[in-house]
């Protein structure tokens, strides 16, 4: 009887010492933020965060939409808001023409804008 009890205790100790192997799941790869010159869809439905940038060609706004950053050229940004690194919340619509200053960026017409801290 003692022999059976000792065998059971030793067996339990052996089983408890062997912990199961940890399963490693592959984590999804996170892509770095992309910078494009394409304007996000539904552009006039929500406010977007933007950062004013003064370049050699003129004033641009870097718009953040999710994980992407788009640089655009506003055609009607108030001169009071044309301050380098000023953060804005804005609504806008695309304009078919290119901006007069920075031709490589999509021109936008701002419909609503205000500065944020």
């Amino acid at each position: 009887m003692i022999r059976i009890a000792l065998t059971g205790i030793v067996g339990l100790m052996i089983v408890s010492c062997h912990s199961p192997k940890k399963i490693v799941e592959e984590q999804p790869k996170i892509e770095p933020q992309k910078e494009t010159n394409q304007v996000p869809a539904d552009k006039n439905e929500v406010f977007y965060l933007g950062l004013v940038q003064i370049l050699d060609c003129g004033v641009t706004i870097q718009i953040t939409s999710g994980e992407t950053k788009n640089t655009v050229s506003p055609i009607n940004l108030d001169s009071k808001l044309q301050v380098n690194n000023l953060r804005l919340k804005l609504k806008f619509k695309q304009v078919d023409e290119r901006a007069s200053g920075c031709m490589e960026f999509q021109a936008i017409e701002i419909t609503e804008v205000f500065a944020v801290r």
Side-chain angles (χ1 to χ4, degrees):
M1 181 78 155
I2 294 176
R3 186 180 259 181
I4 295 174
L6 287 176
T7 306
I9 292 173
V10 171
L12 288 174
M13 287 176 44
I14 291 173
V15 172
S16 66
C17 291
H18 293 288
S19 61
K21 293 182 180 180
K22 292 182 181 180
I23 298 173
V24 178
E25 293 182 23
E26 186 174 325
Q27 298 292 326
K29 294 181 181 179
I30 300 174
E31 294 182 26
Q33 289 188 344
K34 300 175 184 175
E35 187 167 333
T36 65
N37 294 335
Q38 296 178 351
V39 181
D42 301 325
K43 55 206 162 286
N44 210 21
E45 303 294 323
V46 296
F47 278 99
Y48 288 94
L49 288 175
L51 181 69
V52 177
Q53 296 176 328
I54 309 296
L55 303 179
D56 292 337
C57 61
V59 178
T60 62
I61 300 176
Q62 185 181 53
I63 296 174
T64 303
S65 174
E67 293 183 6
T68 60
K69 293 182 179 180
N70 307 305
T71 302
V72 296
S73 183
I75 61 173
N76 64 335
L77 182 62
D78 188 359
S79 61
K80 294 176 186 175
L81 297 175
Q82 294 181 11
V83 177
N84 200 29
N85 293 325
L86 178 66
R87 291 178 25 185
L88 304 173
K89 273 197 171 180
L90 68 151
K91 287 184 180 181
F92 60 91
K93 61 182 178 179
Q94 280 183 319
V95 180
D96 290 335
E97 65 204 47
R98 292 290 179 185
S100 59
C102 296
M103 298 295 288
E104 67 266 21
F105 302 115
Q106 173 66 48
I108 62 166
E109 181 180 342
I110 297 173
T111 56
E112 292 182 53
V113 64
F114 57 91
V116 294
R117 293 181 184 223

